[in-house]
């Protein structure tokens, strides 16, 4: 679908559900496995083996454009086609994307919270990349130089990375310890953060879809400095400069210091408990999905569902009833990339409202 239908409702940007066909060539790790096994392992949030078996029986999942048995074992060089998918994308906040600077070679923008930078297994059109392509006509050769979590806001840079000169300008170092690009973030954390500057070098390990501080992880370095401490809210505003760029690095490092980000559903146990009490049907691990985490994939609202006369779309029915509408305020944490700066360029964004100690919502 080249022209998605967006609509705006209740502070949310939505995409009307659409049918989609997927085509993929068998990867090395898929060889000697069955189709249901591949789908369930590659997309555990979106399908189960039983769902794929049913779809194969209807001819909605093909191997080399042909119907095969669910027991068929994949070989190298083959193709997988998934058709007749009825897809709902999660709603995102309708906050406009502010352009910092745009040229034919690069684009810097202020990514709002609640929006993923590029397409993932849940969102395609409701992502910063696709919205910018539609609303600002950015060329297809631009890709992300840096990425932020969906719940994080701030500076993101797209550039023509196929041009060696442009790539070198925005990614001047191939080293994991990048000292040529300054990356400054702001976060608001629980408790009285140490008043002296602090460097954290705890390794970060990413495995099986989870990220944690672990001695077996990759070298990671964050430098923190407290801006203020507010005894009324018992929170601190902290700046952070990154020497490395691991996934969830700041969030993990402040949590390791026992000063997690105030409203971080992943790494602040107190907020997890408080948020769960306020949102009994919500997932405790948040991020890019805002639906119950303990229900099976075939009942989750944003499955790309294989429709048939016996399987009506439960998400369409849910939306008609007005159930499980996400709250834009719950799609963020108090973490913002406020400045990215290289040898001959600098992009900055405004301070967030939560940088004011009187703001606590």
């Amino acid at each position: 679908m080249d022209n998605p239908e967006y609509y705006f409702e209740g502070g949310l940007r939505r995409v009307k559900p659409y049918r989609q066909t997927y085509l993929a060539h068998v990867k090395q790790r898929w060889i000697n496995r069955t189709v249901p096994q591949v789908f369930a392992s590659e997309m555990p949030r979106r399908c189960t083996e039983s769902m794929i078996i049913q779809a194969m029986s209807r001819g909605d999942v093909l191997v080399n454009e042909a119907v095969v048995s669910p027991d068929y074992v994949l070989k190298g060089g083959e193709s997988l086609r998934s058709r007749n998918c009825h897809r709902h994308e999660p709603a995102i906040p309708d906050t406009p994307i502010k352009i910092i600077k745009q040229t034919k070679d690069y684009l810097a923008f202020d990514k709002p919270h609640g929006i993923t930078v590029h397409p993932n297994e849940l969102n395609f059109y409701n992502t910063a990349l696709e919205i910018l392509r539609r609303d600002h006509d950015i060329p297809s050769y631009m890709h992300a130089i840096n990425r932020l979590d969906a719940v994080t806001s701030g500076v993101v840079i797209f550039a023509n990375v196929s041009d060696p000169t442009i790539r070198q300008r925005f990614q001047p170092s191939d080293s994991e310890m990048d000292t040529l690009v300054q990356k400054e973030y702001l976060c608001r954390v629980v408790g009285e953060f140490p008043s002296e500057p602090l460097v954290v070098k705890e390794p970060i390990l990413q495995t099986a879809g989870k990220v944690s501080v672990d001695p077996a992880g990759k070298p990671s370095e964050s430098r923190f400095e407290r801006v203020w401490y507010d005894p009324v809210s018992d929170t601190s505003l902290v700046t952070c400069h990154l020497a490395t760029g691991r996934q969830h690095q700041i969030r993990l490092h402040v949590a390791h210091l026992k000063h997690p980000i105030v409203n971080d559903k992943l790494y602040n146990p107190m907020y997890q408990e408080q948020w769960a009490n306020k949102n009994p049907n919500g997932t405790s691990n948040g991020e890019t999905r805002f639906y119950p985490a303990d229900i099976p994939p075939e009942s989750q609202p944003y499955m790309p569902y294989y429709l048939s006369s016996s399987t009506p779309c439960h998400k369409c029915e849910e939306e008609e009833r007005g159930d499980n509408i996400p709250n834009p305020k719950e799609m963020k944490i108090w973490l913002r990339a406020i400045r990215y700066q290289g040898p001959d360029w600098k992009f900055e964004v405004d301070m967030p409202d939560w940088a004011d100690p009187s703001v606590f919502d």
Side-chain angles (χ1 to χ4, degrees):
M1 183 177 70
D2 296 327
N3 295 301
E5 293 186 62
Y6 290 107
Y7 66 102
F8 301 87
E9 184 177 76
L12 297 168
R13 182 184 188 116
R14 296 175 173 272
V15 178
K16 288 189 176 181
Y18 54 92
R19 290 184 180 270
Q20 189 170 40
T21 294
Y22 298 85
L23 176 64
H25 296 285
V26 171
K27 304 179 188 299
Q28 182 66 35
R29 64 179 180 272
W30 299 354
I31 295 175
N32 295 326
R33 303 176 69 190
T34 67
V35 175
Q37 288 173 342
V38 167
F39 271 80
S41 63
E42 294 288 321
M43 297 177 288
R45 295 192 295 177
R46 288 170 50 184
C47 59
T48 62
E49 290 190 29
S50 62
M51 289 176 62
I52 300 305
I53 291 172
Q54 293 175 22
M56 293 177 75
S57 69
R58 296 194 301 269
D60 286 335
V61 177
L62 308 174
V63 177
N64 292 338
E65 306 300 331
V67 175
V68 299
S69 163
D71 298 326
Y72 180 84
V73 176
L74 293 169
K75 298 183 285 293
E78 294 183 319
S79 65
L80 269 176
R81 183 182 294 275
S82 171
R83 60 185 185 178
N84 295 328
C85 258
H86 183 73
R87 183 165 180 173
H88 286 258
E89 295 195 20
I92 60 175
D94 66 0
T95 311
I97 297 177
K98 297 179 182 177
I99 304 300
I100 302 171
K101 187 171 182 179
Q102 182 174 7
T103 74
K104 65 180 181 62
D105 295 318
Y106 65 86
L107 168 73
F109 63 95
D110 182 355
K111 186 191 84 69
H113 64 77
I115 302 176
T116 57
V117 172
H118 52 83
N120 60 20
E121 61 176 299
L122 292 178
N123 287 80
F124 184 83
Y125 295 109
N126 251 352
T127 59
L129 178 61
E130 292 302 318
I131 291 171
L132 287 168
R133 282 178 174 168
R134 178 184 173 92
D135 294 352
H136 295 274
D137 198 27
I138 68 168
S140 59
Y141 57 73
M142 283 198 184
H143 296 280
I145 294 292
N146 68 307
R147 293 179 172 87
L148 302 178
D149 296 337
V151 289
T152 305
S153 67
V155 177
V156 174
I157 305 166
F158 288 162
N160 180 8
V161 295
S162 63
D163 185 323
T165 303
I166 301 300
R167 188 183 188 95
Q168 178 66 20
R169 184 181 181 196
F170 291 102
Q171 294 179 323
S173 173
D174 291 329
S175 169
E176 290 190 334
M177 302 293 285
D178 187 356
T179 58
L180 297 177
V181 175
Q182 299 177 42
K183 309 166 189 175
E184 183 178 2
Y185 288 71
L186 195 69
C187 61
R188 188 166 169 183
V189 302
V190 172
E192 185 174 1
F193 199 84
S195 58
E196 297 298 318
L198 189 62
V199 176
V200 179
K201 296 185 178 181
E202 296 297 328
I204 292 177
L205 178 67
Q206 183 174 4
T207 178
K210 296 183 178 180
V211 194
S212 61
V213 168
D214 191 292
K218 293 183 177 180
S220 309
E221 182 176 320
S222 310
R223 178 167 57 87
F224 298 101
E225 189 167 351
R226 192 178 84 188
V227 179
W228 51 251
Y229 168 65
D230 174 44
V232 175
S233 63
D234 190 29
T235 61
S236 300
L237 189 69
V238 179
T239 60
C240 175
H241 291 81
L242 296 182
T244 54
R246 310 296 177 207
Q247 184 179 8
H248 295 186
Q249 179 172 321
I250 296 173
R251 301 165 68 178
L252 282 165
H253 278 175
V254 292
H256 179 77
L257 295 171
K258 309 301 182 186
H259 294 284
I261 292 173
V262 173
N263 53 354
D264 192 335
K265 293 187 286 290
L266 276 182
Y267 303 113
N268 182 354
M270 288 183 61
Y271 188 79
Q272 271 189 358
E273 183 178 346
Q274 294 167 3
W275 191 82
N277 289 337
K278 291 190 299 180
N279 302 271
N281 294 322
T283 172
S284 61
N285 63 4
E287 302 308 293
T288 58
R289 54 180 178 152
F290 304 95
Y291 52 80
D294 57 349
I295 60 177
E298 61 265 28
S299 299
Q300 291 175 355
Y302 300 115
M303 268 297 305
Y305 215 45
Y306 296 94
L307 297 185
S308 71
S309 57
S310 60
T311 57
C313 178
H314 63 278
K315 183 57 182 173
C316 285
E317 296 174 346
E318 179 184 282
E319 289 183 351
E320 288 179 4
R321 295 191 304 267
D323 294 345
N324 289 331
I325 298 175
N327 182 351
K329 291 184 179 180
E330 300 290 354
M331 298 182 184
K332 68 178 178 181
I333 60 173
W334 287 345
L335 174 62
R336 183 162 170 79
I338 59 174
R339 179 173 63 91
Y340 265 61
Q341 182 173 345
D344 65 343
W345 53 269
K346 179 170 71 172
F347 303 122
E348 296 179 294
V349 295
D350 297 335
M351 298 288 278
D353 59 351
W354 46 261
D356 180 344
S358 66
V359 173
F360 204 75
D361 183 14

